[in-house]
Amino acid sequence: MRNLIAATVAILLLGTRLSAQDWTVPDDRKGRLSTFAFDDNTRTTGERLYTANCKSCHGTPGMDNWLRLVPPPGDPAAEKFQQNSDGEMFYKIVTGRGQMPSFRTVLSANEIWALISYLRSYNTGYVQQVMQLITSSAYPGAEIRISLAWNSADSTVDISATAVKENSSVAVTNAEMQLMVQRRFGHLALDEPRNTDSRGFVRFRLPADLPGDTAGNVLLMARFTDEETFGSAGKDTVIRAGMPVNAASLVAPRAMWNTARKAPVWIILTYLGGVFVAWGFIMLVLLKLRDIYIIGENSSVNKQ
Amino acid sequence: MNSGNPAKLIIKNNIIPDLMAGTIFKSERYRQKVESVSADILRNVSLNRGFLLWMGFLTAVLLACLYAYTVQLREGLGVTGLRDITSWGVYIANFVFFVATSLVGMLISCVLGLSGAKWVKPIARIAEIIAVAFAAVAGLVIISDMGRPDRLPYVFIFGRFQSPILWDVTVVTTYFFVSLLLWFLPMIPDLAIAKDRLPGRPAFLVKAYGLLSVKWVDHEKQFEILHKAMRILLILIIPLAFAIHTVTSWLFAVTPRPGWDSTIFGPYFISGAFVSGTAAVIIAMYFFRVSYRLEKYLSDFHFDRIGRVLILVSVLYFYFNLNEFLVPGYKLKTADAIHLRELFAGHHAILFWSVQLFGLVIPAILLLFRPLRKPLPMLVISVVVLAAAWLKRYIIVVPPQAHPHLPAQNYPVEWILYKPTLIEIAVSVAAIVLVLMIITILSKLFPVLPIQEIAEEEALAKNESA
């Protein structure tokens, strides 16, 4: 009997937990702030990112035309959405939940802050607070700086992390680092994550056949995997470490999916040939009708 | 006679004005036959009260339905049941049905005509009338499915050779013209016969006969030319008819939806077309036989023969159905399984099984019995077959769309489960009314059976028995 009551209570509790749609953000993440001040520039960037990544679900802010998903994405201009602190918004965009995708590997921290700056432009009462330093629980009060060096000779990347506080600086040791390359959607992790050594250094080897842009440039991004401990400091660098890739545009050659001008030759010939032959014969038949007419006219003239 | 050209021989024996029998045209017997046959057939060529009332009725229905279309034009396709997921409904089902039914012109005139079946002679023109009427309206039906019909010219301005739509528009137009010629050319001798035998008919009609008979004087050379022209058309119509319905099937088969992802869609559509077309011809034959009092020319014998054709094409279509459903039904690949379950035991099961049974299996079995190949039972069977043929097109077009390969999640259910609205039904009825109007005009203003050919055959038959 007691078991039954316990089970019932448990189910009830579970029920209320499930029905509570609240999306709670860990306390230490709530207060997170952008390191730069929001301005028209960041808002423009944010709008572009919003259109590309969010609009399909969240709709045009202020129009309440978000996709009817369950739970609902909600309108970014609505009060429920704007109630989120900057840190809460950041956390939700990074982690995602249910149908809301995680943008952790898709957008950089700066891009997410730019997005938030755009979303906040729909909130007239909003006053931004800026944080100068990225907090790190391991190095309280310090600013963590990451540098990245590319050795073309052996195709390796050396990354060093230092925590700077006032005038002193120490190496960030034993911190797991991840190196990623920016791809078209999301980022590609290179190698396994590695820990920094006692001097704060970590070395990654780049594959020889890493595809770059037409010049061989790739955007490398170094991050701590454990953002909570080491903060979200990162380093984004464009270097010429990849293979130049001259991907032919898919719409350059003649193809089935291309425009009429770039249709495959065989299909143009088949179409035009078919039309020509069919209508050629139709014309021939019409000419024969003319012959019938002429014969008839001549023979009736003859009779008279 | 034995000129060594078998093709010519075969054609000559059938639906083409007989060129070798030139002497028969000068015989007294032939002349008598022309008088009696033309009297029977031309009796129906008139703008009598029945015709005017019937056309008036059709016009009234058409206008009412066109009002529905103006609503659609003004408000957009939102007034239909078409939505994002199921974006093709009764309009496209109607279109496929129309194209299918029009294919019977090719089946009767060419396949049967060229293969030496003599009995198709009186039926060939009826088949062509049906082909012309359905092909003509098929194009219009497509336009009714467009949200912006004013952009129709874009198909030609920006049309892509790679798109089945461009091919479809081209092929439907060409097929319509060739069917029109196939209806018109064999009628030229009849028009010449008829133009002096229509007392009391409106002057414009007599004048039109004069013009359309292109100075036909039964000259031997004229027969020869007509013969050649018909041979060109009869051969041309075969690839065209295959093209028109294969391309229509490709509109579906190249679109990635479970129920359409089929390699046999072309022959599946064509064999199905023969079934609905033959049923339409039988209905028309019955109607002309009774209301035009042509029992003598559309005899029990003709019904018996076309009944056998219906059995044959039904068996053929059944074979393709077996392939189309058994193979995916055996493998039940994820996407196919959802679709097939809906058809076999789900939302569309009753419709699916009634169509397969009452529209295909049972009619074919019933027609095996000779007493049921009489005009009246065949009329009843054909009406059921034709109605089922329409519903079959609905089954082909609509259910597969509810299960796209990328799941349609979190949409309002009415965006996925399609239901035609009243407006859509009215606009579809308008298309059917238009078909009936064209059939009425072609069969009431012009001889519905080939006078010259029937007279010739009767004269020859008498010759032989003499």
Side-chain angles (χ1 to χ4, degrees):
Chain A
M1 191 62 201
R2 193 183 281 164
N3 280 351
L4 193 67
I5 293 170
T8 318
V9 170
I11 288 170
L12 283 177
L13 281 178
L14 202 70
T16 48
R17 257 191 79 103
L18 282 181
S19 62
Q21 295 283 322
D22 300 337
W23 185 352
T24 38
V25 174
D27 285 338
D28 57 328
R29 302 278 101 195
K30 279 185 184 159
R32 189 150 173 197
L33 294 171
S34 162
T35 48
F36 54 84
F38 297 162
D39 57 18
D40 283 346
N41 255 338
T42 61
R43 277 186 280 272
T44 315
T45 313
E47 183 172 5
R48 180 177 56 73
L49 291 167
Y50 182 83
T51 310
N53 297 290
C54 326
K55 197 171 177 178
S56 55
C57 291
H58 286 278
T60 319
M63 302 274 287
D64 251 343
N65 57 359
W66 34 272
L67 204 57
R68 306 292 137 166
L69 301 174
V70 182
D75 190 309
E79 206 194 320
K80 177 174 175 297
F81 200 100
Q82 293 291 344
Q83 266 173 6
N84 288 296
S85 70
D86 288 358
E88 283 171 323
M89 259 192 213
F90 188 92
Y91 179 87
K92 289 179 179 180
I93 297 169
V94 166
T95 52
R97 184 175 85 163
Q99 311 228 39
M100 162 79 194
S102 155
F103 286 88
R104 190 191 303 282
T105 60
V106 179
L107 301 172
S108 69
N110 286 352
E111 284 174 324
I112 295 177
W113 286 121
L115 257 168
I116 294 174
S117 84
Y118 166 67
L119 297 175
R120 288 300 190 199
S121 67
Y122 290 93
N123 184 347
T124 42
Y126 173 77
V127 183
Q128 196 204 357
Q129 282 176 284
V130 185
M131 180 183 281
Q132 292 307 342
L133 294 178
I134 295 171
T135 48
S136 152
S137 54
Y139 300 88
E143 184 195 351
I144 294 188
R145 292 187 188 151
I146 295 175
S147 63
L148 191 150
W150 156 242
N151 321 308
S152 60
D154 57 355
S155 208
T156 53
V157 170
D158 284 322
I159 297 169
S160 70
T162 34
V164 183
K165 192 175 179 186
E166 279 143 29
N167 286 335
S168 62
S169 69
V170 286
V172 177
T173 59
N174 225 5
E176 195 176 62
M177 268 278 177
Q178 191 162 28
L179 185 65
M180 293 180 288
V181 199
Q182 190 187 44
R183 297 282 87 152
R184 223 174 271 281
F185 189 85
H187 306 315
L188 173 73
L190 288 177
D191 222 333
E192 295 294 308
R194 303 239 166 102
N195 284 2
T196 50
D197 61 14
S198 56
R199 297 169 302 142
F201 270 93
V202 63
R203 169 168 288 194
F204 288 92
R205 188 170 295 280
L206 298 193
D209 55 355
L210 181 66
D213 64 6
T214 48
N217 289 328
V218 287
L219 176 66
L220 291 181
M221 291 173 293
R223 295 273 185 287
F224 293 112
T225 31
D226 184 1
E227 279 195 343
E228 321 231 323
T229 314
F230 299 102
S232 70
K235 179 81 186 166
D236 299 356
T237 322
V238 175
I239 51 175
R240 204 182 259 198
M243 265 189 342
V245 172
N246 276 308
S249 162
L250 285 179
V251 288
R254 293 183 174 279
M256 273 315 230
W257 56 81
N258 222 327
T259 54
R261 274 168 195 280
K262 289 185 178 172
V265 175
W266 65 266
I267 208 168
I268 301 180
L269 290 182
T270 316
Y271 177 85
L272 294 179
V275 169
F276 186 75
V277 169
W279 284 91
F281 278 121
I282 293 176
M283 288 303 148
L284 196 69
V285 167
L286 293 180
L287 285 179
K288 294 220 178 276
L289 281 185
R290 190 170 150 265
D291 292 346
I292 291 177
Y293 182 89
I294 290 169
I295 293 173
E297 194 160 52
N298 287 346
S299 70
S300 55
V301 166
N302 288 349
K303 265 184 207 150
Q304 280 161 10
Chain B
M1 183 93 208
N2 293 322
S3 59
N5 183 343
K8 207 165 180 174
L9 268 179
I10 292 169
I11 294 170
K12 181 190 81 56
N13 276 329
N14 294 290
I15 52 167
I16 294 180
D18 199 321
L19 118 98
M20 293 318 222
T23 49
I24 199 84
F25 297 129
K26 302 202 173 65
S27 72
E28 190 53 36
R29 241 183 252 105
Y30 171 70
R31 231 162 274 154
Q32 284 169 0
K33 282 290 162 199
V34 167
E35 289 311 325
S36 70
V37 173
S38 65
D40 283 345
I41 292 171
L42 293 178
R43 191 179 52 225
N44 299 299
V45 176
S46 71
L47 306 181
N48 58 5
R49 259 205 20 209
F51 170 79
L52 293 177
L53 276 179
W54 171 238
M55 285 300 278
F57 167 72
L58 289 180
T59 314
V61 177
L62 185 69
L63 287 178
C65 294
L66 283 183
Y67 170 73
Y69 184 64
T70 62
V71 174
Q72 179 185 316
L73 263 188
R74 197 177 58 234
E75 307 284 328
L77 283 178
V79 299
T80 67
L82 304 170
R83 292 293 180 269
D84 289 32
I85 298 299
T86 300
S87 56
W88 283 351
V90 288
Y91 292 157
I92 298 298
N94 223 17
F95 167 72
V96 177
F97 173 75
F98 279 25
V99 173
T101 310
S102 80
L103 233 58
V104 74
M106 183 276 276
L107 176 72
I108 302 275
S109 319
C110 309
V111 178
L112 297 176
L114 287 178
S115 66
K118 242 180 174 166
W119 57 269
V120 300
K121 242 183 212 187
I123 302 172
R125 189 170 296 163
I126 297 177
E128 288 306 338
I129 290 175
I130 288 181
V132 168
F134 278 95
V137 183
L140 293 179
V141 172
I142 281 285
I143 298 176
S144 71
D145 192 58
M146 297 176 67
R148 291 285 304 266
D150 53 304
R151 292 186 179 171
L152 182 68
Y154 289 8
V155 174
F156 300 99
I157 301 173
F158 306 110
R160 296 166 61 247
F161 301 106
Q162 304 97 309
S163 161
I165 300 285
L166 180 66
W167 287 67
D168 210 55
V169 171
T170 312
V171 162
V172 170
T173 320
T174 313
Y175 183 81
F176 166 72
F177 267 100
V178 176
S179 296
L180 197 64
L181 287 173
L182 273 174
W183 168 74
F184 171 63
L185 255 61
M187 200 171 61
I188 293 175
D190 291 3
L191 293 173
I193 292 172
K195 70 174 190 283
D196 309 322
R197 291 177 174 79
L198 289 173
R201 310 305 203 285
F204 83 88
L205 195 62
V206 179
K207 204 155 177 205
Y209 272 47
L211 275 178
L212 290 174
S213 61
V214 289
K215 301 251 170 197
W216 184 269
V217 290
D218 280 353
H219 194 287
E220 210 170 307
K221 270 258 172 61
Q222 288 183 321
F223 274 112
E224 199 175 324
I225 295 173
L226 189 61
H227 173 104
K228 273 198 190 127
M230 280 300 288
R231 199 161 58 157
I232 293 175
L233 290 179
L234 284 179
I235 292 173
L236 181 64
I237 195 83
I238 297 177
L240 266 180
F242 272 79
I244 176 177
H245 216 35
T246 306
V247 169
T248 307
S249 82
W250 286 350
L251 295 179
F252 298 90
V254 299
T255 306
R257 293 281 168 107
W260 298 341
D261 212 348
S262 164
T263 51
I264 61 159
F265 242 40
Y268 176 55
F269 269 44
I270 289 180
S271 55
F274 290 162
V275 175
S276 66
T278 310
V281 166
I282 293 173
I283 296 171
M285 277 168 67
Y286 183 88
F287 178 80
F288 294 131
R289 173 186 152 106
V290 172
S291 82
Y292 285 12
R293 277 172 287 135
L294 297 174
E295 292 86 353
K296 202 169 123 199
Y297 306 102
L298 297 169
S299 64
D300 284 8
F301 169 73
H302 294 105
F303 277 86
D304 179 77
R305 290 292 136 147
I306 194 137
R308 291 170 191 222
V309 171
L310 189 52
I311 300 175
L312 179 76
V313 293
S314 296
V315 170
L316 186 70
Y317 190 40
F318 179 79
Y319 170 70
F320 278 107
N321 269 280
L322 201 64
N323 278 278
E324 181 59 25
F325 290 107
L326 195 65
V327 175
Y330 185 86
K331 290 187 284 194
L332 282 181
K333 290 185 282 184
T334 327
D336 288 342
I338 303 172
H339 167 60
L340 290 177
R341 238 167 244 142
E342 285 291 293
L343 285 191
F344 294 164
H347 190 71
H348 301 288
I350 294 177
L351 188 62
F352 177 78
W353 291 112
S354 351
V355 162
Q356 298 292 54
L357 285 178
F358 298 114
L360 189 56
V361 178
I362 294 177
I365 293 174
L366 288 182
L367 285 172
L368 290 175
F369 300 98
R370 189 182 286 272
L372 292 178
R373 291 202 300 271
K374 294 264 177 273
L376 188 60
M378 276 185 56
L379 172 74
V380 176
I381 292 175
S382 299
V383 168
V384 174
V385 168
L386 196 67
W390 194 97
L391 293 170
K392 182 66 190 281
R393 303 306 179 278
Y394 183 87
I395 290 178
I396 292 176
V397 172
V398 172
Q401 294 176 78
H403 322 290
H405 285 295
L406 291 178
Q409 292 174 336
N410 303 302
Y411 283 94
V413 74
E414 65 272 19
W415 287 20
I416 298 171
L417 284 186
Y418 163 81
K419 245 208 211 110
T421 61
L422 203 61
I423 300 254
E424 252 175 307
I425 292 170
V427 174
S428 300
V429 167
I432 293 168
V433 167
L434 268 179
V435 168
L436 290 178
M437 284 173 119
I438 296 178
I439 294 179
T440 309
I441 288 173
L442 295 188
S443 64
K444 196 64 192 162
L445 297 191
F446 297 95
V448 73
L449 298 184
I451 302 171
Q452 188 266 333
E453 287 169 60
I454 293 177
E456 178 196 340
E457 194 176 317
E458 288 192 354
L460 278 173
K462 242 190 174 172
N463 245 359
E464 278 156 23
S465 62

